[in-house]
Amino acid sequence: MSKTVAVIDYGMGNLHSVESALRKAGADRVVVTDMPDAILSADRVVFPGVGAIRDCISEFKRLGCDETLRAVIEAGTPVLGICVGMQSLMTRSEENGGVACLDWLQGPVTRFPQDHRDTAGAKLKVPHMGWNRVRQISAHPMWNGIDDNAYFYFVHSFFVPADQCDSVVATFEYGLEGASAVAQGNVFATQFHPEKSHDNGVKLLSNFLDWDGSC
Amino acid sequence: MALAKRIIPCLDVDQGRVVKGVNFVGIRDAGDPVEIARRYNDAGADEITFLDITASHEQRDTTYRTVEQIASEVFIPLTVGGGVRAVSDIRTLLNAGADKVSINTAAIFNPELVKEAAERFGSQCIVVAMDVKDLGDGSGRYELFTHGGRKETGLEAVAWARKMAEFGAGEILLTSMDRDGTKDGYDLGITRAISDAVDIPVIASGGVGTLDHLVDGFSEGAADAVLAASIFHFGTYTVGEAKDHLARAGIHVRR
C-alpha cells in the first residue's frame, strides 16, 4: 500500500535527516509541512523536535499544530514522536524553568542530576550523548525485527524517569533508568533518534510504516 | 555503564573534496566525501566529523551541497566544523543536514556566539573545538591557539572549557596541536584535566597512531569519544579493528 508520511514542520530545525531516513525505510511520499490538511490526510505522522522545549511547545501551539495533532491522534493515525517531540507529548517538563507540555502521555520530564555518577562513582556526562542500549520492556509491533538491547543514538539532557510514567515500553540505563520509548494507542515516541541510528533506526521507521496503530 | 564510547573518523574537506587522501581498498573516488562517509557508516563508525577547510567563504555553497548529500545517505550523526563565524552559518549547516556544528576560532573572538547558538538551536548541536598547546615552560599550563597552532590567545585551556560549557556548548572537541600529526598518541594529561573539569562530553583529538592510543584516550584521558583521521584513511586500521581492540581492553563500544 502506498503511504504518505507527514513530518510536522514547526520551524524548530533540520528535518532533512528524518525525511531521508523515512525514504530509506520505504516511505512512498514524505511531506514536511505545518499545513493541517496535509497532516490530517497523511497515513502516518511524525512529530520531531530538537532544541529547547519552551520554544518547541510555543511554536507548535502558535502554528495550531497542537489542534491538528489532537485530530490526528483521535482519528487513529499512527504517530511517531522523536526526542523533544516525545517530551512534548508528556505532561510537563522541568526545562526552561518548567513548561506545561501537551499531556497526551502522563509523566514528567526531568533533568539528569548535577554531578551525575554511575553506581561505581564514575562521572556521567550530560547531555547523554551517543549510542546506548534500548531495553524493550513491553512487546510492541514497533520492535519487530529489532533485537532487545539494540543500540540507538541518543542526545538529550532531559528525560522521562522510567518509574514515573505508565506508558514506558523501553528503557535506557545511564546511572538511572529513563524512558527510551513510550507508547499509548496509536502514539509511539522515542527519546533516541531513529533517523540517526543506522540500520536499527531505519528498521524502526520501516516498522512505523507497517504499523496500523494498534498494539 | 551502557553508553558506548564513540569512534569518530574525521574528514578534511576542501571545496567539496576530501584532502589528505583516503586509502581504502576498492574505493572508487578517494576524494568524494559522500562515498567515504558512506564507507565509514558501513564500517561501524559512531559519528562522522567533517572539517571544512575551504579558504573562501564564498565557496561554501559546495560545502552545503556536500553536507546535504551525506545527510541524505548516512544515518549516523554528522558534525560539521570549519569557518563557522555567525549564527547564520550554523543555521545554514543545520538546515543542510548537519546534526552538530563545531565552532572554533569564532568562539574565541566572540564567545557570545556560543551562548546565542545554544539558546537558539539547543546545546545538543553546538560543539566547541579547542586547539591547545602545552606552553612548555614547566608550569603545566595549556593555552588555546588559533591558525593551526601558530597564534597564541593567552586563554588557559581548562578555564576556557568550563566557560564554554557554561555558555551552553554541548560537547568539546579537544585537539592537541603538539601531538597533531605526530602519531605519538593523544595528550592524555590535558584531555583528562578537561574531561574532569566539565560535565559535557569531551572528544580527544590529535596524535593517534596506534589502537592502544585509542584505549589510552578513554582509560587515561577519560574521553567520551575519540577522533581519528589518518589511521583510518590510510587503511592502517579499520573502524571494526579499532572497536575489537577497545573491547578487548575493556572499553565499552557499539559493535
Side-chain angles (χ1 to χ4, degrees):
Chain A
M1 194 183 83
S2 171
K3 296 213 182 72
T4 298
V5 184
V7 178
I8 306 177
D9 179 8
Y10 52 108
M12 290 304 293
N14 161 42
L15 303 177
H16 187 90
S17 305
V18 177
E19 185 185 353
S20 302
L22 282 163
R23 287 188 203 285
K24 171 87 174 173
D28 301 297
R29 198 162 159 263
V30 183
V31 289
V32 178
T33 180
D34 67 338
M35 299 304 292
D37 291 352
I39 296 168
L40 286 163
S41 64
D43 303 298
R44 300 285 182 273
V45 172
V46 175
F47 178 17
V50 291
I53 199 158
R54 183 185 50 211
D55 297 345
C56 280
I57 296 276
S58 72
E59 277 308 286
F60 200 70
K61 288 186 171 171
R62 190 181 66 80
L63 293 167
C65 292
D66 54 334
E67 287 310 312
T68 308
L69 184 66
R70 172 185 300 276
V72 165
I73 295 173
E74 286 174 355
T77 305
V79 171
L80 175 63
I82 299 174
C83 196
V84 179
M86 168 186 137
Q87 296 180 359
S88 299
L89 292 165
M90 305 303 298
T91 305
R92 188 173 178 77
S93 174
E94 270 183 4
E95 192 176 358
N96 306 126
V99 173
C101 301
L102 301 173
D103 203 22
W104 270 105
L105 294 152
Q106 283 66 54
V109 182
T110 59
R111 197 186 184 283
F112 285 106
Q114 299 295 335
D115 193 29
H116 188 37
R117 288 175 189 273
D118 67 14
T119 46
K123 183 172 178 169
L124 297 176
K125 301 299 184 71
V126 178
H128 172 223
M129 183 187 286
W131 298 81
N132 204 340
R133 293 183 183 277
V134 168
R135 190 162 77 89
Q136 301 167 14
I137 60 169
S138 298
H140 196 284
M142 289 288 281
W143 301 132
N144 286 345
I146 297 172
D147 291 340
D148 192 16
N149 293 314
Y151 284 103
F152 286 86
Y153 190 83
F154 290 79
V155 51
H156 60 120
S157 300
F158 291 79
F159 71 104
V160 176
D163 59 358
Q164 292 181 45
C165 173
D166 292 334
S167 310
V168 179
V169 293
T171 59
F172 65 83
E173 190 267 310
Y174 193 58
L176 46 76
E177 239 188 336
S180 279
V182 293
Q184 185 177 291
N186 53 319
V187 177
F188 189 94
T190 62
Q191 179 61 69
F192 55 82
H193 287 269
E195 78 280 13
K196 286 290 147 191
S197 297
H198 201 217
D199 293 345
N200 289 333
V202 173
K203 179 61 183 164
L204 188 102
L205 294 175
S206 152
N207 289 344
F208 177 58
L209 299 176
D210 291 338
W211 180 40
D212 64 4
S214 59
C215 312
Chain B
M1 190 180 76
L3 187 69
K5 299 293 183 184
R6 290 170 281 152
I7 294 191
I8 309 175
C10 177
L11 309 177
D12 286 357
V13 180
D14 185 8
Q15 296 178 57
R17 301 287 295 170
V18 175
V19 295
K20 287 189 187 170
V22 172
N23 181 14
F24 278 147
V25 178
I27 198 158
R28 278 173 297 147
D29 180 355
D32 177 11
V34 182
E35 180 166 6
I36 292 165
R38 200 188 300 128
R39 283 302 191 93
Y40 281 134
N41 179 47
D42 294 344
D46 295 309
E47 298 185 17
I48 288 172
T49 287
F50 171 141
L51 186 61
D52 181 27
I53 58 169
T54 306
S56 157
H57 216 64
E58 285 68 47
Q59 291 169 327
R60 285 301 168 89
D61 285 352
T62 312
T63 305
Y64 302 141
R65 278 198 302 279
T66 307
V67 172
E68 271 176 17
Q69 284 177 329
I70 294 179
S72 308
E73 297 188 35
V74 174
F75 302 107
I76 58 174
L78 174 67
T79 301
V80 183
V84 173
R85 296 174 199 171
V87 163
S88 59
D89 296 332
I90 299 170
R91 187 191 298 111
T92 309
L93 286 168
L94 293 174
N95 285 341
D99 297 291
K100 304 185 226 179
V101 172
S102 170
I103 308 173
N104 190 343
T105 313
I108 293 169
F109 293 114
N110 177 21
E112 292 295 322
L113 173 64
V114 173
K115 199 180 260 182
E116 200 181 336
E119 276 168 14
R120 194 163 308 185
F121 307 111
S123 292
Q124 83 291 335
C125 65
I126 304 301
V127 181
V128 169
M130 298 174 50
D131 293 343
V132 304
K133 266 178 145 171
D134 184 347
L135 287 189
D137 57 4
S139 65
R141 183 180 163 97
Y142 284 73
E143 281 189 5
L144 264 82
F145 279 70
T146 62
H147 299 80
R150 295 190 304 278
K151 283 196 185 170
E152 57 180 300
T153 64
L155 295 164
E156 193 276 320
V158 176
W160 181 254
R162 281 206 184 96
K163 177 172 174 176
M164 290 296 98
E166 268 166 37
F167 274 33
E171 195 170 36
I172 284 172
L173 168 55
L174 177 71
T175 303
S176 160
M177 300 311 289
D178 301 311
R179 297 297 179 92
D180 205 27
T182 64
K183 298 189 183 296
D184 288 341
Y186 300 114
D187 186 324
L188 301 172
I190 189 62
T191 304
R192 173 167 280 274
I194 288 180
S195 189
D196 285 348
V198 296
D199 289 334
I200 57 178
V202 173
I203 307 167
S205 160
V208 67
T210 70
L211 298 182
D212 280 335
H213 291 156
L214 302 178
V215 174
D216 295 342
F218 292 121
S219 57
E220 291 178 46
D224 300 283
V226 290
L227 192 92
S230 56
I231 62 161
F232 297 134
H233 295 340
F234 299 124
T236 318
Y237 303 103
T238 65
V239 174
E241 284 166 351
K243 288 194 168 184
D244 289 345
H245 189 82
L246 286 162
R248 278 195 298 272
I251 308 283
H252 177 191
V253 288
R254 174 182 71 106
R255 288 197 289 174

